[in-house]
Amino acid sequence: MTNDFRGPTRFNHVAMSMPADALDEHGRADITAFYSEVYGWQEHPTMTEDRKRLVMGVHSYDQFVFLIADDNPMTTPRLDHFGLSVDSLDELHEVLALAKAYAERDDRVDIIDYEVEDHGPLKLHNFYVGYLLPMMVEVQYFELSES
């Protein structure tokens, strides 16, 4: 079988179902406040529909998190997640500091703290954060050795 694509595919969104009550005015305000402050995501207000839908842009019009109300919303184990990468170790620590600062004033923030996985020529720096969504967000920095 041949591949007719002109370039590699890439992720552009993550969709999760949630209870309608979680997407009411108050729920959306909590979700957008956290994800905006910690990750810089912005609500697409033209896509918002009270108790039905919330779409948050992830730094680009074609990258987004799509939250949709459903009578049987998504449930996941704690470590089910999707990943974001950053360009430097400093950025990773900055995002973690923002999440920890938010956690000091909101006990619904769930953090699995920073660790480094050493895979020889690659060190994976990461942490996980959960907040109101069915899935956690893992933030990663890939450190390649010089050798």
Side-chain angles (χ1 to χ4, degrees):
M1 185 185 323
T2 61
N3 180 345
D4 293 330
F5 292 111
R6 298 286 180 212
T9 59
R10 64 184 193 278
F11 286 105
N12 78 320
H13 74 278
V14 175
M16 294 175 264
S17 59
M18 300 182 67
D21 290 347
L23 297 176
D24 67 8
E25 184 176 359
H26 178 73
R28 290 191 322 273
D30 286 351
I31 292 167
T32 56
F34 174 81
Y35 289 94
S36 175
E37 185 171 322
V38 174
Y39 299 108
W41 303 354
Q42 298 298 315
E43 177 185 3
H44 289 312
T46 57
M47 298 291 294
T48 296
E49 212 175 325
D50 187 50
R51 298 180 50 81
K52 292 186 180 178
R53 180 176 58 221
L54 171 62
V55 180
M56 292 178 290
V58 181
H59 306 289
S60 169
Y61 75 92
D62 67 340
Q63 293 182 344
F64 55 95
V65 173
F66 187 94
L67 306 175
I68 188 94
D70 195 293
D71 291 337
N72 295 306
M74 177 182 198
T75 59
T76 63
R78 180 176 185 231
L79 280 176
D80 280 6
H81 65 278
F82 60 97
L84 302 175
S85 62
V86 293
D87 293 330
S88 72
L89 192 52
D90 286 342
E91 286 179 53
L92 182 127
H93 288 299
E94 180 181 339
V95 175
L96 179 56
L98 290 168
K100 286 181 174 182
Y102 210 99
E104 289 178 9
R105 62 183 192 270
D106 191 329
D107 63 2
R108 297 174 294 177
V109 178
D110 180 13
I111 297 174
I112 299 174
D113 214 352
Y114 171 77
E115 70 173 14
V116 180
E117 298 173 20
D118 192 339
H119 301 283
L122 169 71
K123 288 184 182 174
L124 175 61
H125 302 257
N126 68 329
F127 65 89
Y128 298 79
V129 178
Y131 184 76
L132 301 180
L133 302 184
M135 296 176 73
M136 296 187 97
V137 177
E138 180 183 13
V139 179
Q140 301 176 322
Y141 171 67
F142 297 89
E143 178 185 355
L144 298 173
S145 69
E146 305 265 333
S147 54

